[in-house]
Amino acid sequence: MQQELYTDEYWMRYALELAKKADNEGEIPVGAVLILDNEIIGEGWNRPIGKHDPTAHAEIMALQQGGGALQNYRLLNTTLYVTLEPCVMCAGAMVHSRIQRLVYGAKDLKTGAAGSLLDVLGHPGMNHQVEVISGVLADACSAYLSDFFKRRREQIKTMKKHKTGLS
């Protein structure tokens, strides 16, 4: 029996489910899943607030799990799926881990390091370049993040009203 090969869209939907875990924990909803040979070897969701750790991004969590699964910091021939374009820290970790591909959903024009603000992953001076595929389920990924920030702004507004005694 031959194993079914999953598409980039399939794995991005999985990453979106992981992003919901971050949302449920009050974190910015970003999810990441690391795949080798069509199987999950690592996954993560944003947890810097809950872990009191500025490095606890979804991508870092997935890469750490992948390293543990392979017993190697080099994650050769892997693909990392992330709902949001990685930051500089996460992109640097991807270069050092030697992942083969990054597939992400929504662009991050403010801090994206996979082509939007900077291009760490394709920089010619780096000792490893990562193949980047952007925009997979971009609308769904962007909408989820937008909804999260809209809800957060409404919560802050409500809290301010209650503090000043307004209803």
Side-chain angles (χ1 to χ4, degrees):
M1 185 173 162
Q2 186 175 350
Q3 183 182 15
E4 181 180 348
L5 289 175
Y6 296 109
T7 64
D8 288 345
E9 290 78 11
Y10 174 88
W11 291 118
M12 190 61 70
R13 278 191 284 279
Y14 187 91
L16 273 165
E17 289 302 312
L18 295 171
K20 289 177 185 173
K21 291 184 179 195
D23 190 359
N24 291 337
E25 294 177 14
E27 304 272 2
I28 295 173
V30 177
V33 60
L34 185 65
I35 305 300
L36 176 65
D37 296 331
N38 206 36
E39 295 200 6
I40 297 169
I41 62 166
E43 62 182 39
W45 55 93
N46 268 5
R47 302 181 80 191
I49 298 167
K51 287 187 168 280
H52 311 291
D53 180 355
T55 68
H57 289 195
E59 301 94 322
I60 300 297
M61 302 306 217
L63 293 172
Q64 287 174 340
Q65 277 189 16
L70 298 180
Q71 291 294 288
N72 195 334
Y73 77 96
R74 290 190 176 193
L75 306 173
L76 304 175
N77 303 312
T78 60
T79 298
L80 184 64
Y81 294 87
V82 187
T83 56
L84 180 66
E85 180 179 359
C87 69
V88 172
M89 174 185 68
C90 293
M94 289 174 210
V95 169
H96 288 298
S97 69
R98 313 283 201 290
I99 67 168
Q100 182 177 348
R101 294 172 69 224
L102 164 69
V103 179
Y104 73 85
K107 286 188 177 293
D108 185 344
L109 300 176
K110 292 181 181 175
T111 63
S116 290
L117 177 66
L118 301 168
D119 187 10
V120 172
L121 300 175
H123 192 282
M126 292 291 178
N127 62 337
H128 175 75
Q129 277 83 41
V130 176
E131 177 188 345
V132 177
I133 290 133
S134 63
V136 174
L137 299 184
D139 291 344
C141 293
S142 294
Y144 194 74
L145 283 159
S146 294
D147 290 346
F148 170 82
F149 284 113
K150 182 179 179 186
R151 280 186 280 122
R152 182 170 271 185
R153 284 189 299 274
E154 288 169 2
Q155 289 169 345
I156 291 168
K157 192 176 178 182
T158 302
M159 284 175 29
K160 283 182 180 177
K161 280 183 182 178
H162 288 297
K163 279 186 178 178
T164 60
L166 301 173
S167 299

